[in-house]
Amino acid sequence: MIHDLFAIDAHTHINHGAPHDSETVENITDASLEHILEMARAAKIDKMFCSTFSSVCANTEIPEENEYLERLCESLDCMYQWVVIDPRIKETFSQAERILKKPKCVGIKLHPGLHKYTLKEYGDILADFADCFETTLLIHGGGDEELLRLANEHRHLNFILPHVATDRDVEICALSKHGNVYLDTSGIGSVRNNVIEYAVKRCGSERILFGTDTYAAGFQRGRIEYAMISDKDKENILRYNAERLFGIS
Ligand SMILES: [Zn+2]
């Protein structure tokens, strides 16, 4: 039964009283660890892949934030780490080199938009670095031709385009010649009434990962559970693709 299947959230964040936490709206948004864990329990999510908001909303505290999350993942079974790199901050490369070897680290998170650089400028440096680890790159706002070029030139690297934000994201996933571009369903993009169904048809459910991006986890899960796709597709998205891709179970 789909309803009983524990899901893996491949894309979330937390606030923890850090300098660049995301803004919350009075009491109606809450990205504290406590609330994220509570939502996960309610929505039958048993693993979460996380980067702190403070490490993606700004680039001034990335090493400290990566370290904070590394320690948290050591103490919390359900929590896994996306290590954040800014290609202009040398220390983030050496730090990632160390953290990527840890069993709780699932790959590298990049946020060119908020960190203010482009893949055109730094994509090759980042992909060449990641290639040494045959890891996964989760890239915010990376749904452009540069990402497709990088994916086609780095067959051993996996790329995740978050939020299924545009038709073009789905196309890039479908057009990648090594099948190494994935989509994640996190965020409010998935409310659109054909986005999951279209992405499954165009790319196959094997290329889609479940995520929340801290939005209401039960709501996000419901979008997959009640999507007009097969049970097999729902299982792939909610859990099995993440297990396969990241070698966890
Ligand atoms: Zn995010």
Side-chain angles (χ1 to χ4, degrees):
M1 287 289 284
I2 294 297
H3 187 63
D4 297 323
L5 181 71
F6 278 91
I8 295 176
D9 180 354
H11 181 160
T12 194
H13 305 283
I14 48 164
N15 281 340
H16 62 104
H20 300 286
D21 278 356
S22 70
E23 280 178 29
T24 52
V25 183
E26 295 171 337
N27 291 315
I28 62 173
T29 56
D30 185 350
S32 65
L33 176 63
E34 195 183 30
H35 191 65
I36 296 290
L37 292 175
E38 209 177 333
M39 284 200 299
R41 269 193 297 275
K44 288 196 174 153
I45 292 168
D46 68 350
K47 291 180 174 54
M48 283 163 278
F49 303 171
C50 185
S51 53
T52 69
F53 266 128
S54 192
S55 63
V56 294
C57 293
N59 64 359
T60 51
E61 321 278 332
I62 296 174
E64 293 86 345
E65 291 297 302
N66 280 333
E67 254 171 53
Y68 167 83
L69 194 58
E70 182 189 5
R71 285 194 302 273
L72 185 68
C73 291
E74 280 166 8
S75 65
L76 209 54
D77 268 359
C78 63
M79 195 64 82
Y80 290 69
Q81 179 169 18
W82 288 111
V83 67
V84 178
I85 294 180
D86 179 321
R88 294 151 307 174
I89 302 173
K90 247 185 168 176
E91 187 186 353
T92 62
F93 284 103
S94 50
Q95 192 180 38
E97 202 170 326
R98 181 179 65 72
I99 294 177
L100 278 164
K101 292 176 190 140
K102 299 234 163 169
K104 298 296 286 296
C105 185
V106 289
I108 298 165
K109 165 85 169 218
L110 303 174
H111 210 310
L114 290 175
H115 290 168
K116 300 191 174 61
Y117 64 89
T118 64
L119 287 184
K120 209 172 176 62
E121 299 166 284
Y122 291 101
D124 286 305
I125 294 168
L126 290 161
D128 289 345
F129 172 82
D131 230 351
C132 304
F133 303 92
E134 295 192 8
T135 187
T136 300
L137 285 165
L138 171 57
I139 307 182
H140 259 266
D144 58 26
E145 301 310 315
E146 273 306 298
L147 187 131
L148 184 59
R149 179 184 69 78
L150 291 170
N152 287 343
E153 288 176 7
H154 296 268
R155 65 164 64 226
H156 299 298
L157 265 187
N158 291 314
F159 294 78
I160 301 176
L161 278 177
H163 314 317
V164 212
T166 63
D167 274 11
R168 191 65 198 147
D169 288 349
V170 179
E171 277 318 289
I172 286 171
C173 176
L175 292 172
S176 61
K177 63 179 187 209
H178 308 299
N180 55 342
V181 177
Y182 293 77
L183 303 168
D184 85 36
T185 65
S186 71
I188 50 177
S190 65
V191 300
R192 285 165 302 170
N193 69 12
N194 196 36
V195 58
I196 302 297
E197 291 78 2
Y198 174 69
V200 167
K201 239 178 246 154
R202 185 75 181 94
C203 307
S205 63
E206 298 78 9
R207 306 276 289 284
I208 305 170
L209 299 160
F210 172 69
T212 66
D213 205 20
T214 74
Y215 287 88
F219 174 90
Q220 299 267 304
R221 181 184 174 121
R223 178 65 182 92
I224 309 303
E225 280 199 29
Y226 293 97
M228 294 167 283
I229 54 177
S230 72
D231 280 1
K232 178 88 183 85
D233 291 334
K234 294 175 188 178
E235 289 169 359
N236 282 343
I237 295 170
L238 286 172
R239 184 170 192 94
Y240 296 135
N241 293 339
E243 281 191 353
R244 193 187 67 247
L245 200 59
F246 299 97
I248 55 175
S249 56

